[in-house]
Amino acid sequence: MIELKHINKTYRMGDNEVHALRDVSLAIDQGEFVAIIGSSGSGKSTLMHTLGLLDRPDSGQYFLNGSEVHHLSDEQWAVLRNRHIGFVFQQFHLLPRMSALDNVALPLIYGGNAERKSLAHDRLVDVGLADREQHNPNELSGGQQQRVAVARSLINDPLIILADEPTGNLDSKSKADIMGLFKALNSKGKTVVIVTHEPEIAAQAKRVITMRDGSIISDKLQDEGKAIPGKSAADVLPSEVAVEVEVREGMRFLDYARQAILAMLSHKMRAFLSILGILIGVAAVIAMIALGRGAQQSIEQQLSSLGSNLLMVRPGSSQAGGVSLGAGASTRFTFQDVTAIAKLTASVGNVAPSVTGHAQMVYGSKNWSTQIEGTGPSYEKIRAAAPIAGRFFTDEEVTARSKVALLGTSVVTQLFGDEDPVGKTVKINLVNFTVIGVLPPRGASPFRDQDDIVLVPVTTAMYRLLGKQYIDSIYVEAKGPDMVDTAQQDVGDILAKEHHMSAKEAEDSFQIRNMSDMKQTMESSTQTMGMLLGAIAAISLLVGGIGIMNIMLVSVTERTREIGLRKALGANNRDIMTQFLIESVLMSLIGGIAGIIVGVGASFIITIAAGWAVKISLASVLVATVFSVIVGLVFGLWPAHQASRLNPIEALRYE
Ligand code: ADP
Ligand code: MG
């Protein structure tokens, strides 16, 4: 059934060469019970690994049921191991977090049999452990654990059972039990090969092969003449060995997911911390994107409320995005300029001056620091600022420098709460003012609250509150959307004329900007801000990913023996890789989903607590989910690859 011809295997340790197997030829027939005996280091285990298709010899041939298999790929070997070979190891190698039943069923994950549970149950009955099938290995004695391992080796009805020192870790009673089990299996026709260094164990086999220094020195039948009982070879042997790699998906994924959850549950704190890393990253990305988009949206709203006909006239150069370069060259605007612009009736409609500054307000026991703007009555039309309560100030009040004020809604909330402010007296920079109206709300943005403002007549602001001699800027409304360019040109010409400047000088000393200019500047600045926030958040996601990679590498190291075992039972590299990838993706996906919840929650809290507009987009949630899966994949790939590359024998030996 199995035939080895001229097998050689040499290990090189530096300059030292160890000939573990020297020209070993061996044939094992159906129904045999073979013991391989020899002192430690004589090459028994190496021979066993060769027989079990776990290790490639340096030279020689291997025939399984007459087919040459030594040239087949690792993947095909994995299939052969899974289908035709049952392993029993000295250290039992049961997976600790699984019940006896699941341990027995493990090879079926890679063999694709649907009735896993009932088959595993039957095998446990065969080894006399039916009543222990829900116990985990740590709840079983050594002898019982080894019986579970024997049941596992039987699950795929293999051609041969290979046992390496199966009794090495057992007391004498359990030794007898296990040997009894092997004898019983053999008497039912199963081929059994056991490796041992104990002569009394070997004595129980039918054929004893003795090894020394990598060579077979004797090969004897114990009691000649006795025919091997059981089925005839023709009944049992498949005519040829199937080596195709079947598609065996489905169930395995479920098992991998279960394994991943078990692995996480057995290291709860560790898993929690790596999940937390992803959670923070994803939550930050979502909240930051929401914040950026909210800012952009509220700016768009503010700008659209201004009307597209508006022009802003400011001192300073229009270059460098509104940053005034040569301060000395800047124009200082006066009421004369306002009047001159207002006379351009062909292209210009309403005109309003503007001065701004800070003001400290007091009402009763309440204090509030806010932005103050002084302007004229046309502001109401230009900025669509019809009061929601009370009235706007008049030209007479501007001329008289009256102490009247309109409050933005945020100021009202801060100073008056639910009280009606109209008609009340407030102190602005220690001067008493009468509140005559409340401005319509414009909305808050992360960078500026548009409703935190007080409006007073421009003259009052200049001479009574801020001590300014000149106007800061001028609002100019073009007659219509098609007149914006003409108005811009006309205003530029008149201001140059008023200030006796050439066109070139004028270009440097003041700027006239229309809505699309302003929109562009503001959008690009919020975009930059948003991208910056997003980038910082993305970095935290990256750090979270590295955390997952770290934990997965630890997990691979810890589970080296498990990986070796799975490979011995028929898992190929792809199976191992998939298992670990599923684990890391699952972790980052959990982190991602929790991160979405936290991120959305945080966005709402920002809105409520800070009053900033945030906009959670479905796209950012989707991107965050996809991103966390990708993080899991990318950062899990290296550890999973490391796991899949492990050599099964070395992995099984790993301490
Ligand atoms: P046994 O099972 O009979 O005790 P082994 O088959 O395990 O012996 O080992 C045979 C020889 O090969 C020993 O001398 C051992 O040191 C050597 N050997 C086995 N595995 C390796 C390895 N992975 N690297 C180097 N030497 C090895
Ligand atoms: Mg050994």
Side-chain angles (χ1 to χ4, degrees):
M1 183 174 66
I2 288 181
E3 196 172 0
L4 300 182
K5 288 186 178 164
H6 309 296
I7 298 285
N8 281 290
K9 177 84 188 178
T10 309
Y11 291 109
R12 275 175 200 86
M13 309 273 282
D15 293 340
N16 218 2
E17 284 197 354
V18 178
H19 296 279
L21 292 178
R22 297 172 205 251
D23 195 32
V24 170
S25 295
L26 174 67
I28 295 172
D29 280 330
Q30 165 66 28
E32 281 199 285
F33 188 175
V34 185
I36 300 173
I37 191 164
S39 57
S40 181
S42 56
K44 308 181 297 292
S45 293
T46 309
L47 178 59
M48 183 68 102
H49 295 147
T50 308
L51 282 171
L53 294 170
L54 277 172
D55 201 7
R56 284 185 189 274
D58 298 333
S59 64
Q61 291 162 297
Y62 186 130
F63 297 89
L64 186 63
N65 278 350
S67 321
E68 248 181 280
V69 296
H70 49 260
H71 61 278
L72 296 177
S73 70
D74 285 349
E75 285 227 326
Q76 290 168 318
W77 270 22
V79 175
L80 289 177
R81 282 200 297 273
N82 181 259
R83 297 274 206 70
H84 304 303
I85 297 165
F87 287 100
V88 179
F89 304 95
Q90 181 172 356
Q91 294 90 346
F92 324 137
H93 287 314
L94 300 179
L95 295 188
R97 293 180 295 271
M98 291 192 338
S99 67
L101 192 74
D102 287 334
N103 264 293
V104 173
L106 193 61
L108 294 178
I109 292 163
Y110 308 108
N113 194 313
E115 293 147 53
R116 294 163 66 189
K117 296 273 167 186
S118 74
L119 275 174
H121 171 78
D122 291 348
R123 295 294 81 78
L124 279 170
V125 171
D126 290 348
V127 299
L129 278 179
D131 55 334
R132 292 282 197 282
E133 60 182 36
Q134 290 311 324
H135 290 232
N136 279 11
N138 58 1
E139 299 158 345
L140 297 171
S141 72
Q144 288 170 329
Q145 289 188 50
Q146 194 62 303
R147 278 195 275 166
V148 173
V150 172
R152 180 180 64 197
S153 75
L154 292 169
I155 191 82
N156 267 332
D157 194 20
L159 291 175
I160 187 165
I161 292 182
L162 300 175
D164 193 350
E165 306 269 12
T167 58
N169 280 10
L170 299 178
D171 57 81
S172 51
K173 178 170 179 309
S174 303
K175 265 184 201 175
D177 276 359
I178 293 295
M179 285 314 290
L181 206 53
F182 283 130
K183 278 189 256 182
L185 286 170
N186 177 250
S187 71
K188 286 187 203 141
K190 205 44 91 196
T191 314
V192 178
V193 177
I194 64 169
V195 162
T196 182
H197 61 274
E198 297 170 89
E200 27 337 332
I201 297 289
Q204 298 178 50
K206 291 177 187 157
R207 174 181 169 190
V208 178
I209 294 172
T210 312
M211 293 195 69
R212 186 191 296 156
D213 291 339
S215 304
I216 294 176
I217 54 166
S218 86
D219 186 349
K220 286 185 201 141
L221 285 183
Q222 299 265 43
D223 31 29
E224 277 162 289
K226 263 197 194 168
I228 299 160
K231 301 178 220 172
S232 76
D235 290 340
V236 197
L237 292 188
S239 54
E240 63 183 31
V241 182
V243 292
E244 311 83 52
V245 182
E246 298 175 50
V247 187
R248 338 162 263 190
E249 304 299 330
M251 201 163 44
R252 278 181 313 157
F253 270 93
L254 230 79
D255 175 73
Y256 295 154
R258 228 181 97 214
Q259 292 297 310
I261 291 164
L262 282 174
M264 281 190 250
L265 286 179
S266 65
H267 298 285
K268 290 193 194 69
M269 181 50 87
R270 193 160 99 179
F272 170 73
L273 290 176
S274 354
I275 288 172
L276 191 65
I278 295 292
L279 187 158
I280 292 171
V282 169
V285 167
I286 288 187
M288 291 303 132
I289 290 177
L291 209 62
R293 287 178 56 102
Q296 203 165 337
Q297 205 186 32
S298 70
I299 281 167
E300 270 163 25
Q301 269 168 9
Q302 286 160 27
L303 290 178
S304 66
S305 77
L306 290 180
S308 54
N309 300 350
L310 188 70
L311 297 175
M312 283 292 281
V313 185
R314 284 203 184 108
S317 166
S318 59
Q319 286 152 15
V323 177
S324 167
L325 295 175
S330 288
T331 313
R332 297 180 138 177
F333 297 123
T334 59
F335 286 111
Q336 269 183 4
D337 295 323
V338 179
T339 319
I341 294 170
K343 281 185 185 150
L344 299 167
T345 45
S347 57
V348 168
N350 289 306
V351 181
S354 168
V355 290
T356 53
H358 274 280
Q360 190 67 32
M361 298 190 62
V362 180
Y363 175 71
S365 60
K366 298 217 180 81
N367 246 291
W368 186 244
S369 165
T370 186
Q371 174 113 20
I372 192 157
E373 183 167 8
T375 187
S378 349
Y379 180 96
E380 182 179 358
K381 293 223 179 56
I382 295 173
R383 297 289 311 265
I388 53 170
R391 60 174 182 88
F392 216 84
F393 43 75
T394 60
D395 280 323
E396 289 72 44
E397 281 166 327
V398 173
T399 315
R401 302 178 188 180
S402 294
K403 291 176 275 181
V404 291
L406 288 112
L407 308 185
T409 48
S410 299
V411 178
V412 172
T413 316
Q414 292 297 336
L415 290 181
F416 292 91
D418 292 334
E419 214 180 314
D420 180 10
V422 179
K424 302 274 159 41
T425 302
V426 292
K427 273 192 178 6
I428 304 177
N429 289 356
L430 303 178
V431 181
N432 277 333
F433 275 73
T434 308
V435 178
I436 56 166
V438 177
L439 293 167
R442 296 213 192 273
S445 80
F447 312 115
R448 189 165 156 218
D449 181 359
Q450 295 281 298
D451 298 318
D452 190 2
I453 192 164
V454 175
L455 225 55
V456 296
V458 60
T459 46
T460 317
M462 286 164 72
Y463 307 123
R464 288 189 196 273
L465 290 175
L466 304 172
K468 289 191 177 185
Q469 301 295 311
Y470 298 97
I471 294 164
D472 291 335
S473 55
I474 305 169
Y475 295 105
V476 179
E477 204 173 39
K479 269 262 160 72
D482 49 336
M483 297 296 278
V484 171
D485 290 341
T486 320
Q488 206 163 349
Q489 186 66 45
D490 290 352
V491 171
D493 291 347
I494 197 80
L495 286 176
K497 205 175 130 207
E498 287 278 315
H499 293 266
H500 312 290
M501 280 188 259
S502 69
K504 179 78 191 67
E505 286 167 331
E507 202 171 284
D508 287 338
S509 63
F510 61 86
Q511 45 165 314
I512 305 165
R513 303 174 74 208
N514 61 35
M515 283 317 294
S516 62
D517 293 342
M518 282 192 263
K519 206 165 164 170
Q520 255 175 17
T521 329
M522 291 182 91
E523 265 177 5
S524 80
S525 68
T526 41
Q527 235 164 34
T528 314
M529 197 69 171
M531 266 158 62
L532 216 71
L533 290 175
I536 292 168
I539 288 171
S540 71
L541 193 55
L542 193 77
V543 173
I546 293 171
I548 286 212
M549 177 144 92
N550 188 18
I551 281 310
M552 289 311 296
L553 282 172
V554 171
S555 177
V556 169
T557 313
E558 272 182 359
R559 285 151 73 191
T560 302
R561 294 218 300 199
E562 172 185 334
I563 295 163
L565 174 76
R566 285 178 180 272
K567 284 197 160 180
L569 299 182
N572 58 37
N573 291 7
R574 224 189 55 206
D575 291 323
I576 299 294
M577 181 119 177
T578 318
Q579 182 182 344
F580 279 87
L581 272 186
I582 285 181
E583 192 172 325
S584 63
V585 168
L586 202 67
M587 242 191 303
S588 67
L589 195 62
I590 292 173
I593 289 167
I596 289 170
I597 296 168
V598 172
V600 170
S603 305
F604 279 117
I605 290 171
I606 289 172
T607 316
I608 294 163
W612 294 352
V614 295
K615 186 161 187 293
I616 297 151
S617 65
L618 184 67
S620 74
V621 170
L622 286 179
V623 165
T625 316
V626 171
F627 213 71
S628 60
V629 170
I630 290 173
V631 164
L633 270 178
V634 168
F635 288 96
L637 208 58
W638 166 247
H641 177 69
Q642 293 294 93
S644 74
R645 272 185 19 178
L646 286 172
N647 172 307
I649 301 160
E650 282 165 26
L652 277 171
R653 274 214 199 109
Y654 183 85
E655 292 300 327

